[in-house]
Amino acid sequence: MLDYAEAIHRLIEELRRLPGIGQKSAQRIAFHILRMNAEDVRRLARAIEEVKEKIILCSICQNVTDVDPCRFCSSDARDRSMICVVEEPYNVAAIERTREYRGLYHVLHGALSPIRGIGPDDLKIRSLLERLRSGEVREIILAMNPNTEGEATANYLARLLKPLGVRVTRIATGLPVGSDLEFADEVTMYRALVNRREM
Amino acid sequence: MAIKESEAFVLMTYPLAEADKIVVLFTRLYGKIRAVARGARRPKSRFGACLEPLSEILISFYERESRELVALRRCELFCSPFERAATPEGEAFLHHVAELVDALQPPAEPHPPVYRLIRATRDAFLQGASLPALAAYFEMWMLKLGGFFSPLEACAACGKAFPPEAPIWIARDGVPRCARCGPPAGGHMILASLRRLLAEMLTRSPIEWSSLPTPKEAIQLHRLLTRLLRDVLERELKTELSLNV
């Protein structure tokens, strides 16, 4: 016998399938939805439906967008000689917040991870290589996360891209601004030293 | 709510909520545990580079009775294979080791020989040992420590000692048989040269042994042992193909 009415049980089961949501969180969200007024619930349901209906991948950079090509790829103000490669669409927002980078992007939609069954064919690598055919691109910035998966992916891409004659760079790793040397671990400190810069 | 402390190897991590991670650890004193590392995905996290695969760390954690996951309080990094793991091959190898430990070790059962095996394998990895050879060494010892690999000295069916140059068969449950008694259903053949290398594994450290097989022999052994592991686990390994390149 179910603990709750069929509809609540089904909602809890659906919510549980979302990343980071366990049984208790799913239950909490389900009962919150139950207490919301009908209009708010409809708006939430519409927003979920719309994101699936309207959002597509940009045919050039593979970023999520509602127009194709996306606003980065179609903008004349962007520097077309640089492509910054990131793992996920939300990484683009993190780089855009700096207001420093004016080039284009390419989203891989993941990183190499044998234990999660993610290999090169599961990433948007082929479309990145196709973008280099025009000869317009001079530099590729590899902005994967600074962890084992991100580094392995960056190394894999560097091996593919360097023979094509483009400059391949990796975003710097080291100490975060506002931290204290005293608390840095060996790997972070080592990387900060190796990647030191001339003053 | 007692605080516990142990050395541990990080096996894998999963993102949790906004900035947390679930960490699967193989601890020396408490066996395999799953822990929550709060804020571990933030740049200024106190966990820093501690939670990368096969990092050896000192952890302190506490557990609450009704919770399946323990809470990580503090991590101190002893040894990190991060720099060599930062290649597709290095990452694949560490993920393979982590997958085998996770698959073959039950939760909350300490196993000091497995802990020592991971440490010796990690050290050989850092010293630049051949990866297919090191993978084969680790796989054989994981099977042996799990009780899935019998000594390859005599036939389990007729009891006769194996002639030194004859190929033998090994059944899906790891029991060896001679050619006279016939191949067991779904069994695997082991050539004499590979049998000698398997015997050498029992007496040598991973770094010593990994220089013995030729690259071809190392890959043959890795393939044989992953087939045995598949039989034991009754499923495909996610990480085996990555090493075969």
Side-chain angles (χ1 to χ4, degrees), chain B residues 123-181:
Chain B
D123 289 346
F125 173 76
L126 288 175
Q127 288 171 59
S130 140
L131 294 184
L134 202 49
Y137 185 96
F138 187 78
E139 288 154 357
M140 199 284 278
W141 271 103
M142 284 302 285
L143 282 166
K144 190 164 173 58
L145 292 171
F148 302 111
F149 200 90
S150 310
L152 303 179
E153 288 155 9
C155 174
C158 66
K160 286 187 183 155
F162 293 127
E165 292 307 318
I168 64 161
W169 291 86
I170 190 158
R172 298 182 75 174
D173 58 0
V175 173
R177 289 173 70 150
C178 64
R180 278 191 306 274
C181 291

Side-chain angles (χ1 to χ4, degrees), chain A residues 45-56 65-66:
Chain A
R46 261 201 313 275
I48 294 171
E49 265 175 21
E50 267 184 30
V51 87
K52 279 310 281 181
E53 282 165 10
K54 293 187 177 168
I55 299 300
I56 50 168
T65 178
D66 52 359

Side-chain angles (χ1 to χ4, degrees), chain B residues 69-128:
Chain B
L69 300 170
V70 306
L72 270 191
R73 280 185 74 237
R74 196 173 62 88
C75 281
E76 198 181 306
L77 187 62
F78 283 158
C79 181
S80 167
F82 187 78
E83 291 303 325
R84 197 181 174 205
T87 59
E89 300 80 16
E91 181 201 31
F93 175 77
L94 293 190
H95 280 197
H96 188 60
V97 169
E99 185 185 14
L100 292 187
V101 177
D102 186 42
L104 292 166
Q105 290 304 297
E109 278 185 31
H111 199 317
V114 169
Y115 194 88
R116 287 197 299 273
L117 172 65
I118 303 171
R119 185 182 277 167
T121 306
R122 186 271 325 271
D123 289 346
F125 173 76
L126 288 175
Q127 288 171 59

